[in-house]
Amino acid sequence: MLRRAAAPRAAAAARRALSTYPPYAEPAAFDGAKRVEFDVPYELHQLSSAPASFTYVSKAELLDYYTQMYKMRRMEIASDTLYKGKFVKGFCHLYDGQEAICVGMEAACTKKDPSSGKLTNALTGGESLDSLVTSYRDHCHQVARGDTVEAVLSELLGKYKGCAKGKGGSMHMYRANANFFGGNGIVGAQAPIGAGLAFAHKYKEDGGVAFTLYGDGAANQGQLYEAMNMAALWKLPVVFVCENNQYGMGTSKGRSSANSDYYTRGHYIPGIKVDGMNVLNVREATRFAKLHALHNGPLVMEMDTYRYHGHSMSDPGITYRNRDEVASVRKARDPVERAKRYLLELEFATAAELKEVEVAVRSEVDAAVEAAKANELPPAHELYEDIYVGQTKEFFMRGCDMSASRGVYGTTK
């Protein structure tokens, strides 16, 4: 008989500590933090309260967010160049334009310091208590969960140093020790996985929340609504995050969805629409969503964002929209530039200091590109490994003919 695991005292105490919103009582609690007002109001569905329309941010926090987003932007541009240079094999879906969602959400997630056991909200370092699963547009989430740019690019290039030993590629990032359960190549299939992760958090009573991310193109998938139904029945601590970047595969949201207010489409599940181009707004909304999910069950969060590239690298992205539209979004709403503007307006950094950050990041990404190119390909024996759980080297697997087989004929484990 299965017995429910007892909640560790430390996790229970941490859950109580995280159960207040907003997470700050007074601005004085932050060292040199300054107040930022948001300029885009939330839109609510079946919610009687909303996240704060402002936040406090310190220089260290904001500089960290900017550095991470700028690094992600440069990495995706490098991925574009590598694909066009025929270094990347298979599919490739880029995230540039959507970095504020990844970084803002991660800033609100709970991290555990493996040495001290203390919980923090640091963007980098530590092991994440909250689970996350997303679609195939996943490179930046892998970095946010602690992997390196070199390792991500290595996986794209099919190199052995990648997170899946070069066998997964762009669509299958994964980092289990950071509770990142990867990119999923099947449209919408990550939604039930996210519900399952939430069930695990609830069963273990560890105070964690599961975030399952999907795009507006996946918002019409039946499995999403099956997962929402189960999550609502069992009051699972899960946040369904629709990254509404306005376009599916060559199709605008208006042509594919009868109702494009995705935050309302949980029906019996509350929802909220958030400015997904503002890293601080995303952070504040995610804090609110986490608390709601922990105490009340599932929530739908629609992130209003925009993708600069096409759906994938095989899509030029300008046959169903024009260049002027893309340029206008870049000029008015770019998430990286907005974070940079905050740093300058709040007098946290000078233009010269930010230039130094950018030069350092460019050098880091350039070095990662060259390292990824130079890294080794998977050895031939990897072709037969990681197929079954617990398989032995004697397990027989037939190749294209008997001479290319591996293992001992007749051995089934």
Side-chain angles (χ1 to χ4, degrees), residues 285-307:
T286 304
R287 285 171 169 169
F288 175 90
K290 266 195 62 171
L291 180 61
H292 183 282
L294 276 172
H295 292 280
N296 303 297
L299 181 82
V300 176
M301 192 158 54
E302 177 185 345
M303 299 290 190
D304 182 15
T305 186
Y306 197 85
R307 61 168 167 78

Side-chain angles (χ1 to χ4, degrees), residues 23-34 56-58 61 283 287:
Y24 40 77
E26 296 291 339
F30 292 86
D31 183 21
K34 296 184 179 180
Y56 291 94
V57 64
S58 69
E61 288 174 327
R283 184 188 72 173
R287 285 171 169 169

Side-chain angles (χ1 to χ4, degrees), residues 76-96:
E76 294 298 69
I77 291 172
S79 301
D80 172 272
T81 302
L82 287 167
Y83 186 92
K84 290 174 179 175
K86 299 183 179 180
F87 289 97
V88 178
K89 310 301 181 185
F91 295 99
C92 186
H93 302 78
L94 302 181
Y95 201 70
D96 48 325

Side-chain angles (χ1 to χ4, degrees), residues 66-68 71 104 151 170 196 200 203 208 226 265 269 302 307 399:
Y66 177 69
T67 303
Q68 290 293 322
K71 182 187 298 184
S170 170
Y203 183 84
E226 294 178 40
R265 291 180 62 177
I269 296 176
E302 177 185 345
R307 61 168 167 78

Side-chain angles (χ1 to χ4, degrees), residues 105-106 130-134 141 145 179-182 211 213:
M105 287 184 61
E106 203 61 34
D130 301 315
S131 299
L132 189 145
V133 62
T134 187
H141 290 284
R145 286 277 159 142
N179 268 347
F180 177 51
F181 294 91
F211 294 93
L213 282 64

Side-chain angles (χ1 to χ4, degrees), residues 281-392:
N281 205 337
V282 170
R283 184 188 72 173
E284 196 63 36
T286 304
R287 285 171 169 169
F288 175 90
K290 266 195 62 171
L291 180 61
H292 183 282
L294 276 172
H295 292 280
N296 303 297
L299 181 82
V300 176
M301 192 158 54
E302 177 185 345
M303 299 290 190
D304 182 15
T305 186
Y306 197 85
R307 61 168 167 78
Y308 292 154
H309 272 85
H311 173 75
S312 68
M313 290 302 299
S314 61
D315 169 20
I318 53 172
T319 55
Y320 48 86
R321 62 181 183 182
N322 57 53
R323 295 180 188 274
D324 290 340
E325 178 186 313
V326 181
S328 66
V329 175
R330 282 184 181 274
K331 182 178 179 180
R333 301 183 65 208
D334 186 81
V336 180
E337 287 301 312
R338 184 183 296 228
K340 183 176 184 178
R341 190 165 67 248
Y342 278 146
L343 282 164
L344 296 172
E345 291 175 352
L346 296 173
E347 299 181 343
F348 281 155
T350 64
E353 289 170 334
L354 295 181
K355 186 66 176 178
E356 290 180 8
V357 171
E358 293 164 4
V359 169
V361 167
R362 284 174 180 260
S363 296
E364 178 186 347
V365 174
D366 289 346
V369 169
E370 296 309 314
K373 287 180 179 179
N375 284 338
E376 296 180 357
L377 293 167
H381 66 80
E382 283 291 345
L383 182 65
Y384 298 93
E385 296 181 4
D386 304 317
I387 297 172
Y388 295 98
V389 174
Q391 71 183 59
T392 65

Side-chain angles (χ1 to χ4, degrees), residues 219-230:
N220 301 313
Q221 290 288 316
Q223 56 198 322
L224 170 63
Y225 297 97
E226 294 178 40
M228 286 182 175
N229 181 60
M230 287 189 288

